[in-house]
Amino acid sequence: MKKILILSGQIPHSVSAGNIQLLRLLRDYPADRLLVIGPPVPKEAARLSCRYESLMPLLNRLNSTRFHLWRRTARVLGILPGNSLRQVEALIGDFQPEQVLSLMETSDYYGLAEKYARKHRLPLYLIVHDTNEDFERVFSFTKGLQMEKDRKIYRSARERFCVSPEMAAFNEQRFGVPGKVLYPIPDPEIQPRPLEWSKTLRQPPHLTIGYAGSMAYGYAEEMLKSLPILEKAGARLELCCPKPAGKVTGLLESPVVKWHGYRPSLEAIRILQERCDVLWLPYLNPAGENERLYRTHFPSKLCDYLQTGMAVWVTGPDFATGVRWWGGQSHRPDTSLEKLLNRWKEKPDSLAGDAQEASKLRGKFGLQSVETQQFHESLQK
């Protein structure tokens, strides 16, 4: 097995989405063949058994303040220096990497990974979950330069693994080189509940809908907007997520919502399996400023949902990757919550069929999927 240096702003551990995906992706890779360099790992997080080294960019704390635009713009212009290759080489020590892997999020790290790979003539592998410029915002006069730097890094990689076919096509259009698809990996510890559970309501007489995941990307806003629809239908909503705050605080004040707090992925899924009838992926509709994200990003929670043995509802604009994939696989034309609730009222036993249909798709994602196998094969070339 090739020795891999993971030099990235997202690294394998169990807190937050990109880190979790790397943890799942590399869980079976030999520990002595991996070295991880990136931000410090949270104390409570699970990690791989390989060596980890911490590296923080200069003035990184400004990224979470009102000066974030200034800091990132200074980096793009080269006014603020990045970490040196000498720092990286000192951390590497006698580990002799044969490949370099980085998740293309946080340019302080993936830019450094590209420089290290270029200096040492090593192949660079990139994983792409998002359009980075949407998260690393800079002043408008430097956007062109930021894009050119990303273009050079993207094109320099031996392989580029994108989270969806739409992301691969989008980046090929703007960067001029193709990418392969690497869908998110579901939690391998999730066990499906018995399909028979979907034949009756878990908390009669109410239909109980579950959601596990982030409050970001418009999901919380869509759930808040949908509360009158849920209340009218006599349905209930149960959440395993960070505490709703700011403009979505109303989720905590609604009589139809029960919040279980933020839980680790597996614990959250088990709570919802026990208490809910259907799992919901609620894209904001209209998407507003989330449109490009929805057109390219693939939601990892959908991959987890399909492992549960439960019915799954995906609602939102037709162009969202999760809606498109779900519609193509399940042939379900309904993409609005109101229509799905009406269908359930007309055919209460439809949830059992929905659960069975979702369960057939379990193998589409995971460590044994075609895309994941291709990723590991590529790393050994």
Side-chain angles (χ1 to χ4, degrees), residues 132-194:
N132 188 58
E133 65 270 21
D134 290 338
F135 294 86
E136 289 199 312
R137 297 187 183 274
V138 297
F139 287 115
S140 58
F141 71 92
T142 56
K143 286 183 178 179
L145 180 58
Q146 180 190 43
M147 183 64 67
E148 179 60 20
K149 288 189 173 187
D150 280 349
R151 186 187 72 86
K152 289 180 179 179
I153 293 171
Y154 192 83
R155 290 177 63 89
S156 74
R158 172 179 283 184
E159 297 280 8
R160 297 150 291 268
F161 295 94
C162 299
V163 75
S164 69
E166 293 83 0
M167 177 68 83
F170 177 69
N171 281 338
E172 182 172 3
Q173 181 181 27
R174 63 189 189 144
F175 294 142
V177 288
K180 294 180 178 178
V181 176
L182 179 63
Y183 284 115
I185 295 175
D187 189 331
E189 303 301 322
I190 296 175
Q191 295 297 317
R193 75 181 193 183

Side-chain angles (χ1 to χ4, degrees), residues 193 197 202 269-276 310:
R193 75 181 193 183
W197 285 18
R202 301 301 295 161
I269 289 296
R270 286 174 175 167
I271 289 172
L272 300 184
Q273 283 178 310
E274 181 68 30
R275 297 179 57 86
C276 298
M310 298 176 65

